Amino acid sequence: MASWSSKKALIIYGGWDGHEPDKVAEIFKLALGAEGFEVVTSDSLDVLNDGKVLKQLDLIFPCWTMGKLSDEQNENLLDAVQSGVGLGGVHGGMGDAFRGHTNYEWMVGGHFVGHPSVGEYEVTKTDVAHPITDGFPDSLVYDSEQYYMLIDPAVEVLVRSQYHYAGKTCSMPIVWTKEWGKGRVFYSALGHVSSEFIDYPAVKEMTVRGLKWAANAL
């Protein structure tokens, strides 16, 4: 393990290629580096095999749609966040990662189940005053997959959307935070492909703030 002089972040990328995990990982490696983080990236889940090393981190950013963890990897990740390591991520890279690992899904605070709506939809900031959404527009028209997710009712919702499907409308959380033991968890459902963080700079900025918050750096 390297000797760290600043906040330490690990980005793990891989899984389904449709979410461009390598490109998303590079965007946030550069963005976090510009914020003073020392960032290591890994395209292998083997990095989760050493629980002691994980607990030396400040932030873990999973960018791995679908995929499977070993029991040991799953427990090491859960324990690291429980001990105080931050967890943050976007879209399917964190909200559709490691299907079937129910404790992982509980830790994240929600899990993808579908996106029957694709196109323009409005995301709206809630009235929760939070440093993550400081400066984020009150509403934003976003063009992408609109995730439908199963949600932990204990999450603190920062951004939501109105989901219209099958003649019904519901309020769907888009960005939220929660705690897992001593660890802070940040999740955003935005960011299907890497270009969205270029097309919507407010979303990128909000995401960076969320990652910093999870790492106790905001």
Side-chain angles (χ1 to χ4, degrees), residues 91 115-123 140-147 161-164 174 190 192 196 200:
H91 202 65
H115 51 74
S117 178
V118 179
E120 288 191 347
Y121 62 98
E122 185 177 20
V123 298
L140 175 69
V141 176
Y142 198 74
D143 189 356
S144 185
E145 295 178 345
Q146 187 180 14
Y147 263 17
S161 68
Q162 294 298 307
Y163 206 104
H164 308 282
I174 296 293
L190 305 174
H192 171 63
E196 292 178 18
Y200 301 94

Side-chain angles (χ1 to χ4, degrees), residues 113-159:
V113 291
H115 51 74
S117 178
V118 179
E120 288 191 347
Y121 62 98
E122 185 177 20
V123 298
T124 304
K125 186 164 65 173
T126 68
D127 59 3
V128 175
H130 200 287
I132 291 175
T133 49
D134 184 27
F136 191 75
D138 290 341
S139 65
L140 175 69
V141 176
Y142 198 74
D143 189 356
S144 185
E145 295 178 345
Q146 187 180 14
Y147 263 17
Y148 194 96
M149 305 187 76
L150 301 183
I151 307 293
D152 176 355
V155 300
E156 182 173 49
V157 181
L158 304 183
V159 179

Side-chain angles (χ1 to χ4, degrees), residues 8-194:
K8 309 173 288 292
L10 170 65
I11 301 176
I12 311 165
Y13 67 95
W16 184 58
D17 287 339
H19 283 157
E20 302 179 345
D22 53 341
K23 294 180 180 179
V24 173
E26 184 64 17
I27 285 173
F28 288 103
K29 176 183 179 180
L30 294 175
L32 288 172
E35 296 291 332
F37 281 71
E38 189 166 353
V39 185
V40 169
T41 61
S42 174
D43 62 358
S44 171
L45 294 174
D46 289 347
V47 72
L48 298 175
N49 291 338
D50 192 330
K52 291 182 179 179
V53 168
L54 295 181
K55 289 180 180 179
Q56 297 176 31
L57 300 168
D58 296 290
L59 176 70
I60 298 173
F61 183 149
C63 189
W64 198 293
T65 304
M66 294 179 273
K68 291 291 183 182
L69 298 173
S70 70
D71 290 343
E72 180 183 23
Q73 290 168 341
N74 186 47
E75 287 303 314
N76 286 343
L77 180 56
L78 294 168
D79 289 348
V81 180
Q82 183 92 20
S83 75
V85 179
L87 181 73
V90 301
H91 202 65
M94 180 161 141
D96 189 20
F98 317 131
R99 294 179 182 180
H101 293 278
T102 53
N103 279 343
Y104 168 82
E105 295 167 4
W106 183 10
M107 176 173 66
V108 170
H111 198 77
F112 164 85
V113 291
H115 51 74
S117 178
V118 179
E120 288 191 347
Y121 62 98
E122 185 177 20
V123 298
T124 304
K125 186 164 65 173
T126 68
D127 59 3
V128 175
H130 200 287
I132 291 175
T133 49
D134 184 27
F136 191 75
D138 290 341
S139 65
L140 175 69
V141 176
Y142 198 74
D143 189 356
S144 185
E145 295 178 345
Q146 187 180 14
Y147 263 17
Y148 194 96
M149 305 187 76
L150 301 183
I151 307 293
D152 176 355
V155 300
E156 182 173 49
V157 181
L158 304 183
V159 179
R160 64 174 67 250
S161 68
Q162 294 298 307
Y163 206 104
H164 308 282
Y165 183 68
K168 296 183 179 181
T169 299
C170 68
S171 179
M172 178 58 57
I174 296 293
V175 178
W176 65 75
T177 64
K178 65 170 294 183
E179 296 179 355
W180 185 259
K182 296 179 181 179
R184 289 178 167 189
V185 178
F186 161 78
Y187 175 73
S188 169
L190 305 174
H192 171 63
V193 289
S194 60

